[in-house]
Amino acid sequence: MSVKITINHVEQTKISSYDIENVEFGKVFTDHMFSVDYIGGVWQNSRIEPFGKIALSPTLSALHYGQAIFEGMKAFKNSKGEVAFFRPMENLKRLNTSAERMCMPQLPAEIFMEALQKLVKLDEAWIPQKLGSALYIRPFMFATDDFLGVKQSETYKFMVYACPVNAYYNHYLKVKVEEYYTRGAKGGAGSAKCAGNYAAAMYPTMLAQKEGFDQVLWTDGATHTFLEETGTSNVFVITKDAIYTPELSDTLLAGITRKSVIELAKDWGKTVVEKHISINELIEWHETGALLEMFVSGTAATLTNIELFSYKGKSYQLDMNIDLLSARIKAEFNAIRMGDIPDRFNWMIALN
Ligand code: COI
């Protein structure tokens, strides 16, 4: 399928108003955005227009019943000025998995890739080059029926916008292991990247932040004794024996950075175990000295270390003055993304 995208350029780029190498995460957006509409069972009217507000009806289905899903991905500019996307097809796969769970239509790969290629080509000058920075790309889909009543929408919009970013976190994290609230329940929508999951996490996260924590470390909804993920990322635990991460299920997000950490660590000959990790086990590892590191992984968060976790009011501090394996993994990701070493996993897709 060839995708015809109509392009309406900005009259004047606004890039000179910003220092794109030094922006606050999520505050600055590039000149253009992509949109396509799903009407009568067909994706149509693919277009790139100046980034800006869109008109919505107060009855818009997504605003009331929450059929809204999104992705987070990045494009990088290496030292030679070449641009490449990091594992974009993984984002498309996950978008379509979320779409299925939310009763939304599948987005064809041709539309997704053509939208990314054309939009990023047009706004290529906005991609920062500093180590650790990137062009964050936000593909998202939402229901657009104007109708009062709970039913799946018949019409949808898929859009993409982009923003130059630096690190989402610039410090180690303190996390609170959640004992009451639930992010994802068995049979629920925890593995879908849907807006509602983030909305539902905000209140418990606010409570944790009031107590001085950066994030909630979610636990399973049934017993609140097994680790799941944080509100922005997956979680890893490194002991003297192995690298552990909670196994995937319908309660947590299948992170693409998570998957990449696992692939790289295995390539390095490390033992990686995807399993249920109980909080008692984690505390025991801490108390016996077996626990070396904990970190979160995500597109926005990249790899960020946890320096402290708290459970039932007791804090457990990690020793941050060690040779952190997570720092080596992060450095290898950066080297692959910046083209400093060969992309042996074929993760990068070049901008045409
Ligand atoms: C991402 O990592 O891309 C996310 O979607 C999470 C959010 C913190 C921006």
Side-chain angles (χ1 to χ4, degrees):
M1 190 208 290
S2 88
V3 182
K4 169 99 190 67
I5 301 180
T6 309
I7 300 180
N8 175 12
H9 294 87
V10 287
E11 279 173 19
Q12 175 96 49
T13 175
K14 52 186 188 312
I15 196 166
S16 57
S17 318
Y18 304 103
D19 171 9
I20 59 157
E21 297 292 342
N22 297 295
V23 285
E24 209 181 316
F25 194 102
K27 290 269 174 81
V28 172
F29 307 102
T30 68
D31 284 325
H32 298 93
M33 62 185 187
F34 171 86
S35 310
V36 61
D37 300 316
Y38 186 81
I39 301 169
V42 180
W43 287 106
Q44 50 190 273
N45 191 15
S46 295
R47 57 204 184 271
I48 289 178
E49 300 158 300
F51 177 90
K53 298 196 191 310
I54 54 173
L56 301 175
S57 163
T59 63
L60 189 93
S61 170
L63 295 177
H64 302 266
Y65 316 114
Q67 278 182 293
I69 58 175
F70 71 95
E71 277 301 315
M73 50 177 295
K74 281 178 175 170
F76 296 85
K77 189 179 278 179
N78 70 20
S79 42
K80 292 186 214 129
E82 297 157 342
V83 176
F85 302 95
F86 184 72
R87 312 193 79 174
M89 294 311 285
E90 293 292 331
N91 291 92
L92 175 66
K93 209 157 78 185
R94 190 172 61 186
L95 181 86
N96 279 333
T97 305
S98 301
E100 186 180 358
R101 181 63 181 80
M102 293 291 129
C103 266
M104 298 165 84
Q106 297 289 292
L107 184 82
E110 294 80 2
I111 297 179
F112 185 75
M113 283 315 300
E114 194 61 15
L116 294 179
Q117 288 282 358
K118 286 264 156 41
L119 182 68
V120 173
K121 188 79 204 165
L122 211 54
D123 288 345
E124 194 176 342
W126 289 82
I127 310 175
Q129 229 167 340
K130 195 168 80 179
L131 192 68
S133 65
L135 187 74
Y136 184 92
I137 302 169
R138 171 55 59 89
F140 61 111
M141 190 197 296
F142 58 97
T144 53
D145 273 10
D146 293 328
F147 175 77
L148 199 160
V150 183
K151 72 166 182 69
Q152 70 199 66
S153 181
E154 287 171 15
T155 62
Y156 296 86
K157 195 182 283 292
F158 170 75
M159 299 186 69
V160 186
Y161 69 79
C163 44
V165 296
N166 285 307
Y168 190 79
Y169 295 117
N170 53 14
H171 55 85
Y172 295 145
L173 305 181
K174 294 181 171 60
V175 299
K176 177 186 173 183
V177 178
E178 185 56 56
E179 294 163 51
Y180 177 73
Y181 294 101
T182 299
R183 179 191 170 278
K186 211 163 166 36
S191 62
K193 203 162 172 63
C194 60
N197 283 338
Y198 293 82
M202 281 178 194
Y203 183 71
T205 305
M206 178 198 72
L207 295 181
Q209 286 172 346
K210 274 190 181 159
E211 290 178 61
F213 299 100
D214 297 293
Q215 269 297 330
V216 168
L217 178 45
W218 292 104
T219 48
D220 68 292
T223 67
H224 292 294
T225 54
F226 293 99
L227 308 187
E228 297 249 293
E229 61 170 84
T230 76
T232 53
S233 35
N234 294 111
V235 65
F236 282 84
V237 176
I238 305 181
T239 70
K240 288 181 173 162
D241 299 322
I243 302 174
Y244 296 94
T245 192
E247 69 183 11
L248 294 180
S249 74
D250 55 3
T251 62
L252 72 150
L253 202 75
I256 294 156
T257 312
R258 173 190 182 278
K259 183 175 180 172
S260 308
V261 168
I262 294 171
E263 287 173 19
L264 177 61
K266 284 187 175 167
D267 181 68
W268 280 351
K270 306 281 180 199
T271 305
V272 183
V273 184
E274 295 174 70
K275 73 177 205 84
H276 289 310
I277 304 168
S278 76
I279 181 66
N280 287 340
E281 197 171 16
L282 181 67
I283 290 170
E284 192 183 315
W285 284 334
H286 185 271
E287 284 176 351
T288 59
L291 178 60
L292 299 178
E293 275 172 68
M294 289 174 72
F295 66 93
V296 301
S297 70
T299 297
T302 66
L303 266 62
T304 305
N305 286 84
I306 294 174
E307 63 171 334
L308 176 146
F309 68 92
S310 163
Y311 181 61
K312 289 193 188 297
K314 183 167 174 197
S315 289
Y316 300 84
Q317 180 72 48
L318 280 88
D319 179 4
M320 304 311 293
N321 296 312
I322 61 168
D323 174 22
L324 296 166
L325 177 62
S326 48
R328 278 188 273 143
I329 296 173
K330 194 168 168 174
E332 185 89 351
F333 280 177
N334 283 337
I336 292 171
R337 286 162 168 166
M338 300 319 267
D340 297 337
I341 58 172
D343 172 20
R344 63 191 184 282
F345 303 103
N346 294 319
W347 282 340
M348 307 307 291
I349 301 289
L351 178 69
N352 293 329

